[in-house]
Amino acid sequence: MAIQESPDRSPAPRRTGLFRTKSVEQSIRDTDEPDSKLRKDLTAWDLTIFGVAVVIGAGIFTLTARTAGNVAGPSVSLAFVLAAIACGLTALCYAEFASTVPVAGSAYTFSYATFGELAAWIIGWDLILEFALAASVVAKGWSQYLATVISSETTVHFGSISFDWGAVLLIAVLGVLLAVGTKVSSRVSAVAVAIKLAVIALVIVVGLTYFNKDNLSPYIPPSEPAGDGGSGIHQSLFSLLTGAGSSNFGWFGLLSAASLVFFAFIGFDVVATAAEETKNPQKALPRGILGSLAIVTVLYVAVSLVLTGMVPYTDLQGDNATLATAFAIHGADWAKNLISIGALAGLTTVVMVMYLGQTRVLFAMSRDGLLPRKLAHTGTKGTPVRLTVIVGVVCAVLAGFVDFGTLEEMVNIGTLFAFVLVSIGVLILRRTRPELPRGFRVPWVPVIPVLAVLACLWLMLNLSVETWLRFVIWMAIGIVVYFAYGRRHALLGKAEQK
């Protein structure tokens, strides 16, 4: 796994201070430390399962219907294609980085090798927000579907305090599985993925029996005013900066829908966090990242086409429309329970892989000294058990007691910020370390990384001002933590002082 330096080229000079970089060679050498060594069990197939597991959740059953009914009409299927293209641009960048630097930490590790320590800390702090918040939010969604299946409430009330025992139960079980080993987690994930794919396949096959091609016309409905999309901090940053209005349906509605359904693809980047636990990362990581993205794109497009062919898109308008709505219109009420079972399986794997991603990012930061080094201890199981327990407790408290509301958008802005840095990082590493062996190379550089950056920035502009303010506050807290602890304890900083 070691990278051989070119005889006629040496690594780029290491910067110092806030911008000191950690060489790719050093990152890879650190993976052999006996006390903080992860077990290499995963194959390209395991990574593909992880990718499908985390990307396909309840969104395929809910987001598709709402977007079709309120924003795009039948052209929601094209919106998924456009979103997949934008997401695919970033996926190519992740594939190159992960095959070049097959080390735990994903965007954090990539940033340390390109932008320097401060930027690495910022992106690591950002990923903490993305993964922990996502796992907690999705766990609450899982609990709601569980309540539907068992026909009983999963939330109990103690005066003014509400406790979601369903969400806490899920996180506790998944925490045990992740502590036992990544391979075991992969096998459980494979079973859950098989269940939800079976449900999706059944939905498609049965839905085709109600399919009427006339419902797809007009494919792009005439444009309509979007109404009041909010004001002040509740409006998008783009609206605040430009004063532009918005519309539903038509071509602008299609583009808006692409921005919405893009978030249905978020999560493939978590695959890169398992790089250090992969047997043949140079080949397996690109296959896992790009393969999972291709599979979910086909499924999203197929479901959206069947859905909008089953009923007129106008029957899906409103905030409560789901895939089950289309079946109910045809008298197939049994679909509600079936879809709930599929959603349970889907959300189980989403929480599991987000939980995994969170522990691996913290593991990488701890091993570098930016967080307490003791947290990087892996023990006999070859997994960071201490971090798994800590992350589980934090996520359980958040999922059990906190009502998130609009905090869900924080996951989106955190993810997109990471996408931007990774895409730029590919360009930097190509320039500073052109001799590095790359298991996968992004084609048409710099065009594809630049397009990836522009696509992500556009989507970030469409998030609310409120989300941007919260994101800035979270980052400011992270900067304080870095200067109070991380900078003084970083191993690279201690090496400079010798």
Side-chain angles (χ1 to χ4, degrees):
M1 189 170 171
I3 288 181
Q4 300 296 322
E5 295 180 18
S6 172
D8 57 343
R9 284 182 181 269
S10 58
R14 179 181 295 171
R15 289 166 284 178
T16 59
L18 299 179
F19 304 102
R20 55 196 175 213
T21 57
K22 183 178 181 181
S23 71
V24 173
E25 290 80 3
Q26 183 60 53
S27 292
I28 293 177
R29 282 195 295 270
D30 287 348
T31 66
D32 292 325
E33 291 184 9
D35 190 54
S36 58
K37 188 172 184 178
L38 296 172
R39 193 166 58 197
K40 294 175 175 58
D41 285 332
L42 303 180
T43 64
W45 176 246
D46 294 319
L47 296 177
T48 302
I49 290 174
F50 273 142
V52 174
V54 72
V55 175
I56 294 186
I60 196 169
F61 304 113
T62 57
L63 179 63
T64 305
R66 288 200 297 265
T67 306
N70 302 320
V71 183
S75 66
V76 65
S77 55
L78 179 57
F80 272 111
V81 173
L82 296 177
I85 292 172
C87 203
L89 295 173
T90 308
L92 292 171
C93 297
Y94 264 91
E96 174 166 324
F97 247 131
S99 66
T100 308
V101 195
V103 178
S106 184
Y108 158 77
T109 301
F110 306 158
S111 296
Y112 216 156
T114 51
F115 298 102
E117 185 173 285
L118 178 59
W121 169 269
I122 290 174
I123 198 63
W125 188 254
D126 168 67
L127 291 175
I128 292 173
L129 171 72
E130 175 191 346
F131 294 146
L133 197 57
S136 304
V137 169
V138 176
K140 291 185 77 69
W142 183 91
S143 182
Q144 292 172 359
Y145 279 102
L146 177 64
T148 299
V149 172
I150 66 176
S151 300
S152 178
E153 287 293 325
T154 54
T155 301
V156 294
H157 303 279
F158 304 97
S160 60
I161 299 176
S162 297
F163 174 67
D164 192 333
W165 62 264
V168 173
L169 175 64
L170 175 65
I171 291 173
V173 171
L174 295 181
V176 172
L177 289 174
L178 290 172
V180 169
T182 310
K183 190 65 176 181
V184 175
S185 305
S186 175
R187 289 169 180 165
V188 173
S189 183
V191 173
V193 167
I195 293 173
K196 67 179 173 183
L197 291 183
V199 170
I200 292 171
L202 184 59
V203 164
I204 293 173
V205 171
V206 176
L208 285 173
T209 63
Y210 303 113
F211 190 86
N212 181 356
K213 62 180 179 61
D214 292 337
N215 290 330
L216 298 179
S217 181
Y219 185 69
I220 301 179
S223 177
E224 298 177 4
D228 185 10
S231 57
I233 63 173
H234 301 295
Q235 64 182 316
S236 71
L237 181 61
F238 180 77
S239 296
L240 177 68
L241 295 176
T242 65
S246 58
S247 63
N248 291 332
F249 309 112
W251 285 101
F252 285 106
L254 171 61
L255 294 175
S256 177
S259 296
L260 290 174
V261 302
F262 174 87
F263 301 118
F265 291 93
I266 284 179
F268 72 85
D269 56 311
V270 183
V271 174
T273 66
E276 198 170 319
E277 296 158 272
T278 304
K279 293 180 180 178
N280 186 2
Q282 283 76 16
K283 292 183 178 180
L285 282 163
R287 290 173 182 173
I289 293 172
L290 299 175
S292 60
L293 184 60
I295 291 171
V296 300
T297 299
V298 171
L299 292 175
Y300 279 144
V301 172
V303 169
S304 59
L305 280 173
V306 170
L307 171 68
T308 51
M310 288 177 64
V311 295
Y313 73 91
T314 51
D315 291 345
L316 299 173
Q317 292 180 345
D319 294 331
N320 298 318
T322 67
L323 194 56
T325 304
F327 283 91
I329 291 173
H330 288 285
D333 294 318
W334 53 265
K336 180 179 180 181
N337 288 332
L338 178 66
I339 290 172
S340 294
I341 293 172
L344 271 178
L347 293 180
T348 298
T349 57
V350 172
V351 176
M352 176 185 288
V353 182
M354 287 295 183
Y355 192 161
L356 171 71
Q358 177 67 96
T359 59
R360 293 329 185 246
V361 170
L362 290 174
F363 170 81
M365 297 175 73
S366 300
R367 189 165 57 188
D368 290 334
L370 295 175
L371 292 174
R373 286 268 295 168
K374 290 183 179 180
L375 296 178
H377 179 71
T378 53
T380 58
K381 293 290 186 181
T383 59
V385 177
R386 294 174 183 173
L387 278 173
T388 301
V389 172
I390 292 172
V391 171
V393 170
V394 172
C395 289
V397 170
L398 289 174
F401 296 98
V402 177
D403 183 13
F404 289 96
T406 57
L407 285 178
E408 295 179 19
E409 275 198 11
M410 293 287 285
V411 177
N412 300 336
I413 194 168
T415 304
L416 287 165
F417 181 64
F419 285 5
V420 169
L421 285 188
V422 168
S423 300
I424 296 174
V426 166
L427 297 175
I428 293 177
L429 202 62
R430 282 282 190 100
R431 184 177 181 83
T432 58
R433 299 298 307 279
E435 83 289 352
L436 282 175
R438 289 166 168 82
F440 175 85
R441 297 178 69 90
V442 178
W444 302 320
V445 171
V447 175
I448 285 182
V450 169
L451 289 177
V453 170
L454 294 176
C456 292
L457 289 176
W458 166 251
L459 293 168
M460 291 177 74
L461 284 173
N462 281 280
L463 295 174
S464 69
V465 176
E466 182 180 22
T467 297
W468 275 92
L469 291 175
R470 288 171 173 166
F471 180 66
V472 170
I473 292 171
W474 174 256
M475 286 297 144
I477 295 173
I479 294 295
V480 172
V481 174
Y482 171 72
F483 282 103
Y485 182 90
R487 189 186 184 198
R488 293 186 294 111
H489 293 83
L491 296 188
L492 283 186
K494 291 180 179 180
E496 282 182 0
Q497 297 170 5
K498 292 180 180 180

